[in-house]
């Protein structure tokens, strides 16, 4: 048996760069482990196929992008990826996700730099150039219909292409590193798809879906169910809302929905203004069972008599029978629903929104005449589960999705058990297990819990009118997290879902809107010593880079190994054979096992190639022509050539220019990662008092000593804070504030906001603001501190290191000015250092960087 091939460091780097959520990283790891088990350990040769089942809204596009980044960055990289979609709507969305310039594009995060090739351009010369480059990552995005048949939509891909010498389908089938990413995998299971997979002979097939069919259970490599996503606060919490009375007319149901929508919009506006975010406009999705019914709903909403005409002109009707210009306009309006200037507040759908629509600002789903059993499915819920702000706001009404049910409130309670049974409540993942003989094997683990997605507090049979909240109930103590692989699904103190009557929920929404929109103003306390901060005027300078700043040469070793792999096939002779078949001359090609070097005199000395590569490195923009830079360039080139091994001379002889280009690109990337901010300061320095009035809509709390952190609260009770209240973005920041306030020598401190102390950290003039300013008095001397709090995973990132360097330069400059009466320092602290300090400011200063 072989050995597993898994690069955890590479996956860590990809996860950090793409900021992958924990379940998405685990999904990629599970696929990689299962694939290596299939090929490397079991020695199988047939294509490996698996499914990633992640709840809608968790981010399957990031899973696909992360998987591509991992496989393209591996020591034996895969360069060809085929993303299949069940229709043109999802195909076009996928193209936008990987196209530079689109607001939702992931392209700036991708180091693999994939060239996107589609049905519109696969037979162009530009596509052919990319396809011929073995070093270029290609992402082919096609509908499944374009490949499963040689007729209709698939005719073009099955016809011979002059520039390929074969059909595009046959070209794909001839690739030895083809990876297929099958989006919405459940939509096209069947003989035609299976035949297509067999004919394409891919290396790997990964199906992406939130609703796999039962027949595919055996190939699910990773599952992250909706219950876990809700409990981990990666999607909204659904709240089922029903009426207590028997009123079920259209006007009443729609009025219930728009009232909730109005209060959610008020809360969202206040939150966006407070946090300096672009406006998010909550919308309602109305589900109709027919076009006639949908038109009826739209007529009511557009009338001047309904709710005083407040929703006239704010509806969008979308259904499958729209054609021509009407369809295109509806799809364009649907795509623009997230835009702050979109007039749409209510979307009425008949049947077009099952997949491929992933806007994040749906806050209310109104089922109207549909049964709750039809609405409470993962696909329908998925239209509203995504988080518009990327994470929970801790404002309850903005973290929930209200589902207005057709049934009465009492009927919803009675159906709760049946509805819960429709949702999967277990997850699966792959893990590495060490055997007694030292071998590593992959084992599939199942994580189960008796979790009710729609649950009640207390006893199940208790349905008193005041039961509004809920909590997950489990047969076992849910002490661990699904993400930590400790065998249980996570529990949330507030529970993942609720059943509530419309009157109660509307009142809650109104109260939340009032509470959120109440602005509080804070001025510096008159009995606190003022804080004076040096005002330094920065002057950005042109960036000067140095190859010596690159302290990690491992990427260049990987590049050397990659170059020999990418170009090895091109060093083989191809024989052209012409034969008669009776009527025509048939020309075919036949690959030989001889290497091209055996036929052609490729004998450029290795030292000559080495010199050429060094010159190429020295020509990178910004690198100065100095002896120290030349020495650093020689070390980089040596790392590349050593990694190429015995094939170095042969490969560089044949492909020296292309290897040089790849090396220059890698050097440019590494210099960009480690480049320093080049900033100087004007000579005039003055002290400016921190006296700005703070504004916040956050709810106020009387103290802070109990250590309970809530992002939505403004904490009072400080003994040394310049202001009466302070609020924080994270629990570590809150802990640091408590430590500072208790500091023995601390005179006064403040939580810094935007533009309080802007420090320029790039030559382009980018600025950032530290988290705290602290003034100490010790032995008659004054000391000033700028304090920055970071997550441990970010402490060594290039950006944090560059900001720290710039902040220290700010402090040195301030200390050089005669006008400054305190010695200034910069303190960077991570989560572990904060925990180790145990609330001591004195210890924290010693631990920090």
């Amino acid at each position: 048996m072989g050995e597993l091939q898994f690069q955890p460091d590479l996956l860590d780097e990809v996860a950090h760069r793409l900021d992958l959520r924990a379940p998405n990283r685990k999904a990629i790891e599970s696929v990689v482990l299962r694939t290596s088990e299939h090929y490397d350990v079991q020695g199988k040769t047939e294509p490996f196929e698996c499914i990633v089942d992640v709840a809608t809204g968790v981010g399957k596009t990031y899973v696909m992008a992360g998987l591509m980044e991992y496989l393209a960055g591996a020591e034996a990289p895969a360069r060809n990826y085929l993303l299949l979609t069940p229709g043109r709507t999802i195909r076009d969305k996928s193209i936008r996700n990987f196209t530079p310039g689109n607001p939702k594009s992931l392209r700036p995060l991708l180091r693999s730099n994939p060239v996107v090739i589609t049905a519109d351009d696969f037979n162009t010369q530009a596509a052919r150039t990319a396809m011929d480059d073995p070093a270029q990552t290609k992402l082919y995005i096609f509908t499944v219909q374009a490949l499963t048949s040689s007729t209709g939509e698939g005719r073009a891909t099955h016809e011979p292409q002059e520039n390929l010498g074969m059909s595009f389908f046959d070209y794909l089938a001839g690739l030895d590193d083809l990876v297929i990413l099958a989006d919405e995998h459940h939509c096209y299971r069947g003989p035609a798809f299976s035949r297509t997979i067999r004919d394409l002979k891919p290396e790997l097939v990964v199906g992406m879906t939130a609703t796999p069919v039962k027949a595919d259970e055996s190939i699910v490599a990773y599952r992250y169910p909706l219950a876990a996503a809700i409990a981990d606060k990666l999607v909204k919490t659904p709240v089922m809302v029903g009426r207590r009375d028997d009123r079920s007319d259209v006007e009443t149901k729609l009025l219930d929905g728009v009232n909730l929508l109005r209060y959610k919009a008020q809360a969202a506006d206040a939150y966006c203004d407070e946090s300096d975010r672009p406006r998010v406009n909550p919308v309602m999705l109305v589900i109709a069972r027919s076009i006639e019914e949908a038109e009826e709903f739209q007529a009511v909403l557009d009338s001047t008599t309904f709710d005083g005409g407040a929703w006239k002109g704010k509806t969008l009707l979308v259904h499958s029978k729209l054609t021509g210009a009407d369809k295109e306009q509806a799809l364009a309006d649907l795509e623009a629903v997230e835009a702050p200037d979109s007039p749409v507040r209510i979307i009425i759908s008949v049947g077009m929104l099952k997949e491929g629509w992933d806007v994040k600002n749906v806050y209310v789903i109104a089922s109207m005449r549909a049964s709750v059993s039809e609405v409470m499915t993962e696909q329908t819920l998925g239209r509203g589960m995504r988080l518009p702000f990327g994470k929970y706001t801790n404002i309850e009404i903005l973290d929930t999705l209200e589902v207005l049910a057709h049934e009465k409130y009492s009927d919803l309670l009675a159906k709760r058990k049946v509805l819960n049974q429709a949702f999967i409540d277990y997850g699966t993942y792959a893990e590495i297990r060490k055997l007694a003989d030292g071998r590593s094997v992959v084992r599939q683990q199942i994580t189960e819990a008796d979790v009710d997605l729609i649950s009640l507090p207390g006893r199940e049979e208790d349905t008193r009118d005041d039961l509004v909240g809920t909590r997950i109930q489990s047969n076992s103590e849910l002490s661990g997290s699904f993400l930590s692989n400790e065998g249980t699904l996570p529990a949330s103190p507030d529970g993942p879902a609720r059943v509530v009557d419309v009157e109660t929920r509307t009142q809650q929404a109104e109260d939340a809107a009032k509470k959120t929109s109440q602005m509080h103003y804070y001025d510096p306390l008159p009995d606190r010593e003022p804080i004076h901060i040096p005002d330094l005027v920065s002057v950005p300078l042109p960036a000067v880079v140095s190859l010596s700043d690159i302290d990690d040469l491992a990427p260049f070793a990987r590049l050397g190994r990659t170059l020999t792999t990418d170009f090895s096939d091109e060093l083989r002779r191809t024989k052209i054979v012409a034969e008669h078949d009776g009527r025509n001359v048939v020309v075919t090609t036949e690959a030989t096992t001889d290497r091209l070097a055996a036929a052609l005199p490729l004998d450029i000395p290795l030292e000559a190639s080495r010199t050429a590569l060094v010159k190429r490195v020295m020509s990178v923009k910004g690198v100065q022509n100095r002896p120290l830079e030349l020495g650093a360039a020689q070390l980089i080139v040596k790392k590349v050539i050593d990694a190429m091994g015995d094939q170095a001379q042969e490969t560089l002889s044949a492909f020296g220019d292309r290897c040089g280009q790849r090396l220059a690109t890698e050097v440019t990337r590494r210099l960009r990662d480690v480049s320093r901010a080049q900033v100087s300061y004007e000579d005039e320095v003055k002290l400016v008092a921190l006296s700005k009035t703070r504004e916040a809509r956050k709810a106020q709390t009387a103290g802070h000593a109990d250590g309970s952190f809530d992002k939505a609260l403004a904490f009072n009770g400080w003994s040394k804070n310049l202001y009466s209240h302070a609020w924080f973005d994270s629990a570590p920041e809150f802990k640091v504030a408590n430590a500072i306030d208790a500091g023995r020598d601390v005179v006064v401190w403040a939580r810094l906001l935007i533009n309080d102390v802007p420090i320029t950290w790039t030559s382009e003039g980018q600025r950032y603001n530290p988290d705290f300013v602290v003034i100490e008095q010790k032995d008659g001397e004054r000391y000033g501190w700028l304090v920055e709090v970071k997550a441990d995973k970010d402490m060594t990132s290039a950006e944090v290191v560059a900001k720290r360097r710039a902040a220290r330069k700010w402090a040195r400059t301030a200390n050089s000015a005669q006008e400054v009466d305190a010695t200034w320092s910069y303190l960077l602290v991570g989560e572990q250092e904060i925990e180790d300090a145990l609330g001591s400011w004195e210890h924290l200063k010693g631990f920090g960087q």
Side-chain angles (χ1 to χ4, degrees):
M1 297 179 69
E3 295 184 359
L4 282 172
Q5 302 298 316
F6 175 51
Q7 298 174 247
D9 291 344
L10 173 59
L11 182 53
D12 287 343
E13 187 274 326
V14 171
H16 178 80
R17 178 158 38 86
L18 271 62
D19 195 20
L20 294 181
R21 291 169 162 174
N24 294 340
R25 184 197 184 284
K26 195 66 178 176
I28 297 169
E29 180 179 339
S30 295
V31 171
V32 172
L33 291 177
R34 290 284 301 274
T35 304
S36 181
E37 171 80 7
H38 178 85
Y39 288 113
D40 304 319
V41 177
Q42 298 181 8
K44 295 182 179 179
T45 57
E46 64 271 19
F48 178 66
E49 182 176 4
C50 65
I51 287 177
V52 171
D53 172 12
V54 291
T56 301
V58 173
K60 64 180 179 181
T61 302
Y62 278 85
V63 175
M64 292 190 287
L67 188 60
M68 181 171 64
E69 286 292 280
Y70 176 90
L71 296 175
E75 292 193 4
R79 297 297 185 195
N80 293 280
Y81 300 84
L82 172 61
L83 200 168
L84 291 177
T85 70
R88 297 183 181 183
T89 301
I90 303 180
R91 179 200 64 184
D92 294 343
K93 177 182 73 71
S94 299
I95 292 172
R96 291 191 293 272
N97 286 338
F98 291 97
T99 299
N102 189 276
K104 293 186 178 182
S105 176
L106 302 181
R107 190 58 174 271
L109 305 175
L110 306 183
R111 283 188 175 169
S112 61
N113 194 30
V115 171
V116 175
I117 298 173
T118 70
D120 296 328
D121 62 9
F122 72 89
N123 58 352
T124 63
Q125 185 56 46
R128 178 62 195 274
T129 299
M131 292 158 65
D132 284 347
D133 186 351
Q136 177 66 61
T137 300
K138 278 80 64 175
L139 177 60
Y140 309 96
I141 304 179
F142 285 76
T143 64
V144 68
Q145 295 85 357
L147 293 172
T148 53
S149 173
S150 59
T151 60
E153 190 176 340
R155 182 184 300 276
T157 62
H158 285 77
E159 290 180 342
Q161 301 294 321
E162 183 176 353
N163 67 339
L164 286 177
M166 64 185 78
S167 71
F168 179 70
F169 186 95
D170 289 339
Y171 171 82
L172 292 178
L175 298 171
D176 60 4
D177 64 347
L178 182 64
V179 175
I180 296 180
L181 305 171
D183 198 5
E184 303 292 356
H185 183 268
H186 60 278
C187 292
Y188 37 75
R189 294 299 289 146
F193 179 75
S194 298
R195 182 180 65 254
T196 300
I197 296 300
R198 287 197 307 271
D199 293 344
L200 285 174
K201 301 184 290 292
E203 182 179 15
L204 173 63
V205 181
V206 182
M208 305 297 304
T209 180
T211 53
V213 298
K214 290 184 178 180
D216 287 335
E217 279 296 313
S218 62
I219 61 173
V220 173
Y222 182 76
R223 168 171 284 131
Y224 184 72
L226 184 60
I230 294 170
D232 284 329
K233 297 185 177 182
L234 298 184
V235 295
K236 296 190 188 88
T237 296
V239 177
M240 296 175 59
V241 184
R243 294 194 65 85
R244 292 182 179 276
D245 56 32
D246 292 326
R247 295 187 63 176
S248 59
D249 57 283
V250 170
E251 289 80 2
T252 298
K253 300 288 288 184
L254 290 175
L255 192 60
D256 289 341
V258 297
N259 280 334
L260 284 171
L261 191 66
R262 178 181 287 111
Y263 293 130
K264 281 178 173 275
Q266 292 175 11
D269 287 348
Y271 177 76
C272 291
D273 292 346
E274 168 65 19
S275 56
D276 195 27
R277 297 171 181 266
R279 284 287 181 91
V280 170
N281 301 313
V283 301
M284 177 169 70
L285 173 62
V286 178
I287 300 175
R289 307 183 76 172
S290 66
I291 295 176
E292 293 74 22
E293 193 175 81
E295 291 172 341
E296 175 192 356
F297 299 158
Q298 188 175 40
V300 172
L301 291 162
D302 275 341
S303 69
T304 56
T305 57
F306 177 80
D307 199 23
W311 308 96
K312 184 176 178 61
K314 297 180 180 180
T315 62
L316 173 63
L317 176 58
V318 185
H319 57 77
S320 57
K321 292 188 178 180
L322 287 175
T323 58
D326 291 339
K327 178 180 180 180
E328 293 303 317
Q329 185 61 51
L331 291 176
D333 291 341
L334 192 62
E335 179 68 21
V337 162
E338 280 185 327
D341 58 352
S342 171
V344 175
R345 296 296 180 271
I346 302 171
I347 300 166
I348 308 168
S349 167
V350 179
M352 291 187 67
L353 303 182
K354 290 182 179 179
E355 293 97 12
W357 188 64
D358 61 355
V359 301
K360 300 173 181 177
N361 55 333
V362 172
Y363 270 101
V364 179
I365 294 179
S367 65
M368 302 303 291
R369 292 169 181 153
S371 166
V372 69
S373 300
E374 299 175 67
V375 179
M376 289 295 287
T377 64
E378 192 150 340
Q379 284 188 3
T380 304
L381 278 180
R383 305 286 68 81
M385 296 298 283
R386 291 171 173 83
L387 297 175
F389 303 106
K391 56 184 178 181
Y392 269 40
T393 64
N394 291 321
I395 300 171
E396 194 265 356
I397 200 66
L398 296 182
D399 298 331
T400 58
L401 169 69
E402 273 59 35
V403 181
L404 287 170
H406 182 58
E407 285 87 343
K408 290 174 59 176
Y409 171 62
S410 57
D411 293 337
L412 292 180
L413 295 177
K415 285 186 175 181
R416 185 178 61 83
K417 278 189 176 181
V418 175
L419 290 173
N420 275 323
Q421 293 173 0
F423 290 92
I424 294 174
D425 59 1
Y426 67 91
T428 62
Y429 61 92
E431 71 171 7
I432 299 176
R433 180 177 297 171
K434 284 281 189 181
L435 300 183
D437 61 4
R439 288 183 297 121
S440 296
V441 297
V442 176
R443 294 292 182 261
Q444 197 74 4
Q445 300 297 316
I446 298 177
T447 305
E448 297 186 43
D450 182 15
V451 177
D452 284 346
L453 189 73
I454 307 162
S455 55
L456 294 171
R459 301 186 308 275
E460 275 191 23
E461 66 272 18
D462 195 343
T463 57
R464 299 190 312 272
D465 289 351
D466 61 329
L467 293 182
V468 177
T470 184
R471 178 179 176 85
I472 296 179
Q473 302 296 322
S474 173
N475 288 339
S476 59
E477 182 182 357
L478 300 183
S479 58
S481 168
F482 176 81
L483 302 180
S484 64
N485 305 333
E486 294 180 7
T488 57
L489 288 171
S492 167
D494 300 320
R498 284 177 284 185
V499 180
V500 60
D501 63 274
V502 68
E503 292 84 1
T504 300
R505 192 57 179 164
T506 303
Q507 186 62 54
Q508 291 173 341
E510 182 181 6
D511 292 344
K514 290 178 180 178
K515 183 178 179 181
T516 307
S517 60
Q518 184 178 357
M519 182 70 79
H520 299 285
Y521 300 91
Y522 307 96
D523 287 310
L525 296 173
D527 61 339
R528 299 283 160 84
E529 184 172 327
I531 297 177
H532 290 90
I533 303 175
D535 181 23
L536 277 62
V537 179
S538 62
V539 181
L541 301 174
V544 178
V545 299
S546 173
L547 295 173
S548 298
D549 288 333
I550 303 176
D551 56 3
D552 181 12
L553 299 184
F556 296 101
R558 288 198 295 270
L559 175 63
R561 293 190 293 270
T562 301
L563 291 174
T564 56
T565 301
D566 287 347
F567 296 127
S568 62
D569 287 343
E570 294 194 28
L571 284 169
R572 300 186 185 281
R573 178 189 298 170
T574 300
K575 182 170 65 174
I576 299 177
V577 180
E579 298 177 342
H580 284 278
D581 65 356
R583 289 181 299 176
N584 302 308
V585 176
V586 179
V587 178
T588 61
T589 61
E590 178 181 312
T592 71
T593 58
D594 297 332
R595 296 185 62 84
L596 186 61
L600 297 176
L602 303 176
D603 56 355
I604 298 176
L606 181 58
E607 289 308 309
S609 296
R610 186 190 305 272
T611 301
L613 289 180
V614 171
K615 288 182 178 179
R616 194 62 180 267
V617 172
M618 292 296 292
S619 68
V620 169
K621 184 179 179 180
V623 175
Q624 295 179 309
N625 187 15
R626 299 169 51 226
L628 286 177
E629 296 300 307
L630 179 62
Q634 290 169 342
L635 289 175
I636 290 172
V637 170
K638 183 178 186 302
K639 199 74 174 180
V640 173
I641 292 179
D642 287 350
M644 297 176 78
D646 296 339
Q647 299 182 43
Q649 179 179 355
E650 188 178 30
T651 302
L652 291 173
S653 294
F655 303 105
D657 288 342
R658 289 162 72 176
C659 290
Q661 182 179 0
R662 293 277 297 282
L663 176 57
T665 300
E666 185 67 22
V667 170
T668 300
R669 179 185 297 125
R670 297 299 160 183
L671 284 175
R672 184 175 62 244
D673 290 344
V674 302
S675 62
R676 297 178 299 176
Q678 300 294 319
V679 178
S680 67
Y681 292 96
E682 293 183 357
D683 291 335
E684 184 179 351
V685 177
K686 57 183 177 180
L687 294 176
V688 177
L690 184 61
S691 59
K692 295 178 182 177
T693 299
R694 307 297 208 213
E695 299 179 0
R697 289 189 172 89
K698 298 180 182 293
Q700 297 178 335
T701 185
H704 62 89
D706 65 353
S708 299
F709 170 71
D710 188 333
K711 189 176 180 180
L713 297 179
F715 296 90
N716 193 4
W718 309 100
S719 61
K720 299 176 182 179
N721 188 3
L722 182 64
Y723 296 86
S724 63
H725 290 73
W727 48 95
F728 311 94
D729 295 329
S730 66
E733 289 180 3
F734 180 59
K735 292 179 181 179
V736 169
N738 278 275
I740 293 172
D741 200 62
R744 181 178 58 250
D745 301 318
V746 173
V747 176
V748 63
W749 65 274
R751 172 75 163 88
L752 295 174
L753 302 183
I754 295 176
N755 290 325
D756 281 345
V757 187
I759 295 177
T760 305
W761 68 283
T762 70
S763 57
E764 291 79 21
Q766 285 183 284
R767 295 180 169 187
Y768 94 103
N769 295 264
D771 294 318
F772 298 94
V773 58
V774 182
I775 302 297
E776 288 186 298
Q777 179 103 21
K778 186 175 182 180
D779 298 330
E781 298 290 333
R782 293 179 68 84
Y783 300 90
W785 294 87
L786 297 182
V787 183
E788 178 75 8
V789 180
K790 285 295 182 184
D792 284 342
K793 68 181 181 65
D794 297 327
M795 289 288 285
T796 58
S797 70
E799 180 175 317
V800 170
V801 170
K803 288 179 177 178
R804 181 183 64 187
R805 185 181 294 118
R808 286 178 171 175
K809 185 171 185 177
W810 179 96
R812 290 195 301 270
T813 305
N815 293 334
S816 301
Q818 295 181 352
E819 299 86 349
V820 177
D821 61 351
T823 301
W824 286 88
S825 300
Y826 175 76
L827 181 67
L828 174 65
V829 293
E831 297 163 299
Q832 189 59 59
E833 292 159 340
I834 296 169
E835 292 297 324
D836 292 344
L838 300 176
S840 167
W841 166 242
E842 287 71 29
H843 279 79
L844 190 61
K845 287 188 296 181
F847 293 155
Q849 300 181 31

